[in-house]
Amino acid sequence: METINCKHVGQGQTAQEPNGKACRRVAFRNSFYCYAHRHLYPDAETRREYEKRRKTLSKEDPDYEPRIMKTTPEEPEPRTGPSSEQELQSLEKELQSLPPDWDELQEEGGWWDSALVEATPEERMKEALANAEVAKRSLKAEEIYLVASLGGEVTDELFGSDLSSSIVYGGITGFAALIAIPFLPVIMMVLLAGAVGGNVGTGGGDFANDTISSLSQALWKIQFFAVFISGGALLGFSNYRNRMEALTKGKADFIAEGSLMDS
């Protein structure tokens, strides 16, 4: 389903005085309003209902665009003044548990982080896709589930390596890790010397050569290579299985939720 912005427009001091600030959050699932504002429009038509209705209309028809519903103000219950300290404490706890006023938190430039205490699934999906695109990587298992459960397409590029490639890549990673182990103490020594403003010197160079030589002779043996390559391949297989299970479960949950909405 196409991602759109919430159609809520903030109100002024009264419901008839809009302040002109349109909500910038993503519309929640099958509605035209975000998670924070959807409860203000209990009678609004869903996006699926609108799509069915639009097929019967022409573009010149005034009802071709989605109907903008009026908000349903929440009338506070009349209260009497608290008569005891216990009632005051109870009232204070109740006020703290109320949801934030999203219209007051919104600014012209967009939503501040303080307004996004809990992002909607659609917002988290957009963030996951953007992060993967910037880092030029495939999605993680939890990100795959999020995209699939919201009806998004998980392409081969987003899914990542297939089973054989994952196993081979894991084995290569294990091999490279064993090769790198003898060099780690030397790298740490160089970094520590740089942090304190010193230098390794001739004695440090001899120590580095001795360390690399002794560790490589002890570790670079067939049995250790077999263990590291096998372990890396097993991790690669486990990573592929987790991604495949996330994809399957996400698609199943999306189909199940669609069936519930249609019924």
Side-chain angles (χ1 to χ4, degrees):
M1 185 174 292
E2 180 185 2
T3 300
I4 65 171
N5 289 335
C6 175
K7 293 187 176 296
H8 172 77
V9 176
Q11 302 297 324
Q13 295 180 351
T14 67
Q16 288 73 33
E17 298 178 2
N19 60 14
K21 293 182 180 179
C23 179
R24 302 176 189 273
R25 292 170 65 87
V26 178
F28 181 71
R29 296 190 181 276
N30 192 32
S31 70
F32 283 101
Y33 303 96
C34 68
Y35 184 84
H37 292 128
R38 63 191 175 96
H39 69 283
L40 298 177
Y41 305 87
D43 299 326
E45 65 178 345
T46 64
R47 292 162 66 181
R48 284 194 178 92
E49 291 172 346
Y50 164 67
E51 291 296 337
K52 292 179 181 178
R53 180 172 61 81
R54 190 177 67 170
K55 291 178 181 179
T56 63
L57 303 174
S58 63
K59 292 186 178 180
E60 291 75 18
D61 197 298
D63 289 333
Y64 186 79
E65 295 297 328
R67 299 166 183 165
I68 305 301
M69 306 293 293
K70 293 183 178 180
T71 60
T72 303
E74 298 178 349
E75 296 293 339
E77 297 181 0
R79 293 181 177 273
T80 58
S83 57
S84 66
E85 183 178 351
Q86 185 177 5
E87 290 183 6
L88 281 172
Q89 294 176 353
S90 177
L91 177 60
E92 184 179 352
K93 290 181 180 179
E94 183 177 349
L95 291 174
Q96 291 176 351
S97 64
L98 291 175
D101 188 333
W102 296 99
D103 291 331
E104 291 183 1
L105 290 171
Q106 188 179 22
E107 299 292 340
E108 285 294 334
W111 287 90
W112 293 105
D113 290 340
S114 58
L116 300 175
V117 178
E118 182 178 354
T120 64
E122 284 79 4
E123 289 169 331
R124 289 191 285 115
M125 180 182 72
K126 291 177 67 175
E127 182 181 5
L129 293 174
N131 291 339
E133 182 179 0
V134 171
K136 296 182 179 180
R137 62 168 177 81
S138 57
L139 298 177
K140 301 175 183 178
E142 59 271 16
E143 295 172 336
I144 290 175
Y145 171 79
L146 180 63
V147 174
S149 66
L150 295 175
E153 181 184 4
V154 181
T155 62
D156 292 340
E157 183 178 3
L158 291 175
F159 182 79
S161 306
D162 57 15
L163 178 58
S164 59
S165 299
S166 297
I167 294 175
V168 172
Y169 179 77
I172 294 175
T173 302
F175 177 86
L178 181 59
I179 292 294
I181 288 177
F183 298 91
L184 294 180
V186 178
I187 294 175
M188 294 297 296
M189 181 181 67
V190 173
L191 292 176
L192 182 60
V196 299
N199 55 71
V200 176
T202 305
D206 294 338
F207 171 78
N209 291 332
D210 293 342
T211 301
I212 294 174
S213 177
S214 59
L215 287 177
S216 60
Q217 289 178 7
L219 295 176
W220 291 355
K221 296 179 180 179
I222 295 178
Q223 59 267 32
F224 287 112
F225 278 109
V227 170
F228 273 73
I229 292 174
S230 300
L234 182 61
L235 290 176
F237 170 77
S238 177
N239 176 265
Y240 172 82
R241 183 182 62 182
N242 291 339
R243 288 183 285 123
M244 181 57 69
E245 289 178 350
L247 178 62
T248 304
K249 189 175 185 302
K251 288 182 176 180
D253 288 351
F254 175 73
I255 294 173
E257 184 176 352
S259 301
L260 290 175
M261 288 184 177
D262 294 337
S263 60

